[in-house]
Amino acid sequence: MTNLSQSTSFAPPPADKTALEQGTALTPRFGPDGLIPAIATDHESGMPLMLAYMNAEALALTIKTGVAHYYSRSRQALWKKGASSGHYQDVLEIRLDCDQDAVWLRVHQHGPGACHVGHKSCFYRRVSGQDASTAQLEETAAKTYVPDDVYGKDQPS
């Protein structure tokens, strides 16, 4: 893998709240686990595609290459979105929220979907019902591909 030791050294967040929230310095606030949440949305429709996490290396690679990289909490490893499926995400814009503790990627999603279970979006279910104790999830969209055809058995991307 490319040596990114210099490019992953983001400056620490400034002590001054105004500088953090309104300044121009990129100073992402990674959590105690070294991760920052990142949501990817379709650049044309605005549809949320997925929520994942980035470590400093993933964010630096995404900035450098223009292709989404994330950090898998379950595998404890850096991953390039689409490396096994071909469902890459070309990053058209990166934004951070006001206090720089969340990332928003506007992407061009390649392939039929971003979700490893076969949907265009990981947000394919909505909550139905008005009582938390009886609420259920209701599917709102059909699958756009067959995961086993793309990944083989037990290999999410």
Side-chain angles (χ1 to χ4, degrees), residues 125-145:
R125 298 176 293 179
R126 70 174 160 228
V127 175
S128 65
Q130 296 184 355
D131 183 303
S133 65
T134 59
Q136 302 242 333
L137 293 176
E138 176 183 293
E139 200 162 303
T140 62
K143 289 188 176 191
T144 55
Y145 68 98

Side-chain angles (χ1 to χ4, degrees), residues 88-145:
Y88 294 97
Q89 293 176 340
D90 292 327
V91 178
L92 303 173
E93 183 178 42
I94 302 172
R95 295 187 186 199
L96 274 77
D97 73 341
C98 58
D99 56 359
Q100 297 195 51
D101 65 356
V103 176
W104 173 20
L105 305 176
R106 291 185 60 237
V107 303
H108 170 76
Q109 177 68 53
H110 291 271
C115 183
H116 74 280
V117 299
H119 292 272
K120 179 176 178 74
S121 167
C122 294
F123 298 92
Y124 62 90
R125 298 176 293 179
R126 70 174 160 228
V127 175
S128 65
Q130 296 184 355
D131 183 303
S133 65
T134 59
Q136 302 242 333
L137 293 176
E138 176 183 293
E139 200 162 303
T140 62
K143 289 188 176 191
T144 55
Y145 68 98

